[in-house]
Amino acid sequence: MAKTIKFRLDGTAVEALEGETVLEAAERAGLRIPHYCWHKALGNPGNCRMCVVEVEGAPKPQAACRLPAKEGLVVRSASPASRRAQSAALELHLVDHPLDCPVCDQAGECGLQDYYMDIGRYPSAMREDKAHAAKRVPVGPHIMLDQERCILCTRCARFVSQVSKSHELGIFGRGHNEAVALVPGRVLDNPYSGCLADVCPVGALTDRDFRFQVRVWYLDGADSVCPGCSRGCGIRVHTSTRRPWHNKGRRLARLKPRFTEVNGHWICDEGRYGYADFDTDRLGKVMRLKDPSAELGWDVVCDEVAVAIRQGMLKDPAGLAVVASGGLSNEDWRAFRSLFVDALKLERFLFAPEPDQVGEQDELLRRRDKVPNLEGGKAAGFGTQIKSLDWDGLAGEIESGKVWGLYVVDRDPVKVWGERGRALAEGLSLLVCQGPRKGLTGGLAHYRLPATDWLEEAGSFTNFQGQVQTYLPALKPLGAARPDWDIFSALEKAVNG
Ligand code: SF4
Ligand code: FES
């Protein structure tokens, strides 16, 4: 067990682990000491001097990020002497900073603004012109650089050298000419490049997808889990619903990493930017193909689907197939089992991962299988049935009449089958499309059952390591949509009734 060291910070007793600095121990204890260059995952170069603190018995202020915690140390981070030193460091950072907060996209979550209000508030002594540098430099597909706003903390350069190991950015020049810039001939285009907007404490590196869409103080947030692959990274979901004229009317504004043991401080760009079409092609209304304009209630449709399933199964119990997505939550999987296995005694299930759900894998976070919860399916007893889906085999069985009915959950087989899709769908006696999006299958289904997407419900995923993680609703369901588990339960009631 690691040895613990006790010291006092601003009158509070703090316990540090052996080898920790004063700043690390303070952060772990939930006590804030100002800092820019230190980042828990990127080390402490000690160059910004914002963390200077008064230490009893020491002749000069010390940088808390470089100061090892020692037994009995008495540290003051908010004393007049500490505040003077921190304020002086801040003033130096602002010597060439453009102070363009009203038009800066970082406003509201900027380290410079926060510390100026907390510990700065000095009348500026600067009379000379500020040095100017490049603004609005699109350094990669996701990140915009503003060199004037940079405070040279080097977090970005450390990220591309230590985390993404892609080495596209560096700090070049000296004195007034020192600036963060691309390595000549390179583009900031690594699979984790969006994290640069998170690590930059000021508005020098901003997210091209999010910038100028909505001011951060209009955002709402909820803790969630990324459904982009089987890693299940922790995310914070930011939504914009109070001002629909912002963010091009999109309810989902951005996804940010949320620290968990699973993903540390990072998420990949695929997960971060995979939400662009979140509100596109959504199902919000319960619908019957032969009567699309009718206002139907869930009870009516569940009864009709239950009768259609029962009648078909009386003739051919093996002819109903279910195609489901590995995106179902643990709660969905349990209700799915209860309906299709326990109540209907079905045996034909077809689950992903499919060709469009398999992608790149690396040693940091990204996993090859791009579905979040096949492990949940295995835990619900479908382990042996989760294998690559044989779409051609299924098409052949529909054409030969072996399969008369298809219940599709959050997949789009008509799209997968391409030119054959329409004829195959029209050859079925029953096609049910349940999910958040219509797709091509929804346009041809006898019944459309609108389901919530993961951001509109509470639930949990089990990742490839077996870790169960819960997510919270960030948005209201659209129209009549309800969670998949709730639809399965309503249908089970109708089937049993
Ligand atoms: Fe630090 Fe941002 Fe400048 Fe990089 S761009 S050195 S992260 S302030
Ligand atoms: Fe300590 Fe930058 S955080 S010097």
Side-chain angles (χ1 to χ4, degrees), residues 154-169:
T154 72
R155 281 185 182 195
C156 54
R158 282 177 280 146
F159 178 86
V160 295
S161 106
Q162 295 169 26
V163 182
S164 68
K165 300 189 170 55
S166 47
H167 308 281
E168 304 103 326
L169 282 175

Side-chain angles (χ1 to χ4, degrees), residues 309-345:
I309 288 176
R310 280 280 185 223
Q311 283 177 348
M313 288 185 72
L314 274 179
K315 286 190 228 148
D316 178 7
L320 177 64
V322 181
V323 176
S325 149
L328 293 179
S329 68
N330 292 328
E331 295 69 23
D332 298 334
W333 279 117
R334 286 193 279 273
F336 178 98
R337 180 171 190 89
S338 184
L339 168 65
F340 291 114
V341 179
D342 301 340
L344 288 169
K345 316 280 182 230

Side-chain angles (χ1 to χ4, degrees), residues 83-207:
R83 288 297 190 226
R84 259 198 316 278
Q86 292 156 5
S87 177
L90 183 64
E91 190 168 4
L92 276 175
H93 285 302
L94 289 172
V95 161
D96 281 330
H97 187 86
L99 297 176
D100 55 352
C101 308
V103 294
C104 176
D105 204 51
Q106 190 83 359
E109 52 184 3
C110 171
L112 282 176
Q113 277 188 326
D114 292 346
Y115 290 145
Y116 182 79
M117 297 312 288
D118 283 352
I119 57 183
R121 295 189 185 231
Y122 52 81
S124 175
M126 274 291 289
R127 297 292 172 264
E128 290 75 24
D129 283 346
K130 288 172 186 273
H132 294 291
K135 297 183 82 71
R136 293 181 303 281
V137 185
V139 285
H142 301 303
I143 297 293
M144 189 72 81
L145 166 67
D146 184 317
Q147 284 180 329
E148 283 187 351
R149 295 181 187 150
C150 172
I151 54 161
L152 297 167
C153 69
T154 72
R155 281 185 182 195
C156 54
R158 282 177 280 146
F159 178 86
V160 295
S161 106
Q162 295 169 26
V163 182
S164 68
K165 300 189 170 55
S166 47
H167 308 281
E168 304 103 326
L169 282 175
I171 310 286
F172 299 91
R174 286 286 177 272
H176 260 349
N177 296 322
E178 195 172 3
V180 67
L182 283 173
V183 169
R186 300 293 305 277
V187 173
L188 183 66
D189 192 12
N190 67 70
Y192 296 88
S193 68
C195 295
L196 270 306
D198 305 328
V199 297
C200 180
V202 299
L205 295 170
T206 48
D207 187 327

Side-chain angles (χ1 to χ4, degrees), residues 25-60:
E27 283 283 317
R28 218 169 29 75
L31 302 171
R32 286 290 278 175
I33 297 177
H35 60 271
Y36 288 133
C37 68
W38 176 82
H39 184 287
K40 196 172 173 195
L42 299 173
N44 52 346
N47 63 20
C48 76
R49 314 315 280 181
M50 276 305 294
C51 65
V52 282
V53 290
E54 198 186 350
V55 180
E56 210 166 87
K60 296 190 293 190

